[in-house]
Amino acid sequence: MNGKAAPRTAGDGSTRTRLERGRTALGPALELVHTGRAPTRAVLTTQLRVTRATAGAVAAELEALGLIRVDARPTAPAGSHGRPSHRLSLDPDGPVTLAAQVHADGYRAALVGLGGRIVATSPGCEIVEPDPAHVLGAVVDAGIGLLRATGRRCVGAGLAVPSAVAEPEGTALNPLHLAWPAGSPVREIFTDRVREAGLDVPAFTGNDINLMALAEHRHGAGRGAGHLLCVATGHRGVGGALVLDGRLHTGSSGLALEVGHLTVNPEGRPCFCGSRGCLDVETDPLAFLAEAGRAPGPEDSLLKQANDLIAEEPDSPGVRAAVEALTDRLGLGLAGLVNILNPDRIILGGLHRTLFEADPERLRAVVADRSLWGRSGSVPILAAALDHNSLVGAGELAWQPTLDDPLSTLAGH
């Protein structure tokens, strides 16, 4: 599936000498361009703390690898009197990663380029069978179809699943809203399906909310945050993630931030964990429909039904009461997390984003009132900015080896 020709290597001997001096800067340089923090060669020089010549050699090598483009004509920003600099951009025809996501209401494959750009997506499938091997085989096949249709070179594969993923085994410990056995070896199955499809690339698996957080931190509403907390409810259940200094905090074995089992309504609904009133069952789409007095229908996903109800009937007494009740419960949960984690930004996804956008001041007030530092610290709460952010995050996971060492990953292949 690697449809592109083998990359070139950068120019003459002097360029090569400069590149050897700065070879360890290739990965950091690519990440700076990938995340939009180095739009010009001058900024790249400053961020890497290298000479202009070394930055030029690094940029030339990344261009030769088919990852970025260097504008041949340097330009100065409007109103600037400084020296013009070559603009850097991501190669729109460059390699991609195969990203896959499975959730309670279906699965989908996509191709994700640098910059978090979704290049192509497959039609979503709405039936998740109880055999994970069958589902993961089908979603990989869908990704292979996208690669064939686009002719893109693939450098890795990533999978997002709605479950805690234990490390280092790569097992889905609690796919509660899928009919999969607890402890399914999803990473092993996914890797095998990728290999069987003829892709000789590394394959990775992660929790969907962790991958949402990674994508939002690099390309969305979380850019620039040092301690980023993400909380989201998609099709069923609630998940959380924490990004510290640019890296996911997954704990000692990949199981950190299981925020869905914070109690926010002690007399509330029974939870799958054995407790009652957990965030997981008190603030997800099914809880919203129940609170609004609406029976879930068979035609659309629970998330779409809940979002559509809020958009189409915002003044209905039942809908308004449900928005207020779930917002208050979500605020209690977030306040507890603020007290424990002291984040500098909170991002909400899925139905939580919709609830926040419906009444942002109510949620902020609950968090401020119930958190130790809420009134003085005022932690910013933002809506997630990216569509399909867990898919983008799965792509990010697969891009990481190339971001770490692009020359070793791509040269000669």
Side-chain angles (χ1 to χ4, degrees):
M1 288 308 147
N2 297 347
K4 264 196 163 182
R8 308 177 304 279
T9 54
D12 60 22
S14 60
T15 300
R16 173 58 60 188
T17 301
R18 288 194 295 268
L19 180 59
E20 289 302 329
R21 290 197 205 107
R23 181 170 177 176
T24 56
L26 277 174
L30 180 59
E31 186 159 337
L32 286 167
V33 182
H34 170 61
T35 54
R37 290 176 289 157
T40 67
R41 207 167 73 183
V43 175
L44 186 68
T45 302
T46 301
Q47 291 285 343
L48 294 177
R49 299 181 182 178
V50 296
T51 65
R52 285 200 303 268
T54 296
V58 167
E61 184 69 11
L62 292 176
E63 185 175 36
L65 290 168
L67 297 169
I68 73 169
R69 289 185 177 177
V70 182
D71 188 352
R73 295 186 176 183
T75 56
S80 170
H81 301 291
R83 179 175 179 174
S85 181
H86 297 271
R87 294 200 64 79
L88 307 178
S89 60
L90 297 167
D91 189 335
D93 300 317
V96 295
T97 55
L98 189 161
Q101 181 181 9
V102 179
H103 53 72
D105 292 306
Y107 56 87
R108 182 186 295 270
L111 304 183
V112 181
L114 285 167
R117 183 171 64 93
I118 294 183
V119 173
T121 59
S122 68
C125 179
E126 297 179 355
I127 299 174
V128 181
E129 298 186 11
D131 179 3
H134 180 86
V135 174
L136 297 185
V139 77
V140 169
D141 287 345
I144 294 298
L146 295 175
L147 288 169
R148 287 179 178 146
T150 60
R152 293 299 188 100
R153 179 182 184 184
C154 182
V155 298
L159 169 68
V161 292
S163 168
V165 177
E167 298 294 350
E169 303 90 348
T171 53
L173 290 187
N174 60 337
L176 296 175
H177 304 294
L178 305 177
W180 291 0
S184 295
V186 289
R187 181 176 299 148
E188 179 182 343
I189 295 170
F190 183 62
T191 299
D192 288 346
R193 294 299 175 268
V194 168
R195 298 284 186 273
E196 290 165 5
L199 281 178
D200 183 20
V201 297
F204 304 90
T205 303
N207 168 263
D208 53 0
I209 307 303
N210 277 349
L211 299 183
M212 166 201 158
L214 185 63
E216 289 287 340
H217 186 270
R218 290 182 176 177
H219 308 295
R223 282 183 175 180
H227 296 73
L228 176 67
L229 171 66
C230 288
V231 177
T233 175
H235 299 265
R236 291 293 305 275
V238 174
L242 187 66
V243 180
L244 300 177
D245 298 322
R247 299 291 177 185
L248 278 170
H249 172 72
T250 56
S252 61
S253 57
L255 309 180
L257 272 291
E258 280 292 304
V259 304
H261 300 290
L262 290 172
T263 300
V264 293
N265 184 12
E267 305 303 319
R269 297 171 178 81
C271 182
F272 300 97
C273 71
S275 185
R276 301 185 70 89
C278 294
L279 203 64
D280 205 67
V281 293
E282 294 290 337
T283 67
D284 78 343
L286 187 60
F288 179 83
L289 294 172
E291 198 74 33
R294 307 298 177 93
E299 64 283 353
D300 291 314
S301 73
L302 295 174
L303 177 60
K304 186 176 188 303
Q305 292 178 59
N307 282 336
D308 287 350
L309 195 56
I310 295 171
E312 295 167 6
E313 301 183 38
D315 297 323
S316 163
V319 173
R320 190 165 59 248
V323 168
E324 292 174 356
L326 266 72
T327 298
D328 290 349
R329 295 171 197 162
L330 175 60
L332 287 175
L334 292 179
L337 292 168
V338 167
N339 291 339
I340 295 168
L341 301 173
N342 188 214
D344 60 11
R345 197 178 308 174
I346 299 171
I347 292 178
L348 302 177
L351 179 62
H352 290 168
R353 174 173 69 174
T354 308
L355 293 170
F356 172 65
E357 290 173 337
D359 195 347
E361 294 313 311
R362 185 183 188 96
L363 182 64
R364 290 189 178 113
V366 174
V367 175
D369 186 55
R370 295 299 187 112
S371 59
L372 292 172
W373 318 116
R375 293 191 183 282
S376 58
S378 188
V379 181
I381 302 175
L382 302 173
L386 302 177
D387 293 328
H388 304 299
N389 43 29
S390 291
L391 265 177
V392 174
E396 287 294 308
L397 201 62
W399 268 113
Q400 196 59 54
T402 302
L403 294 172
D404 290 339
D405 191 350
L407 196 59
S408 294
T409 304
L410 295 174
H413 286 73

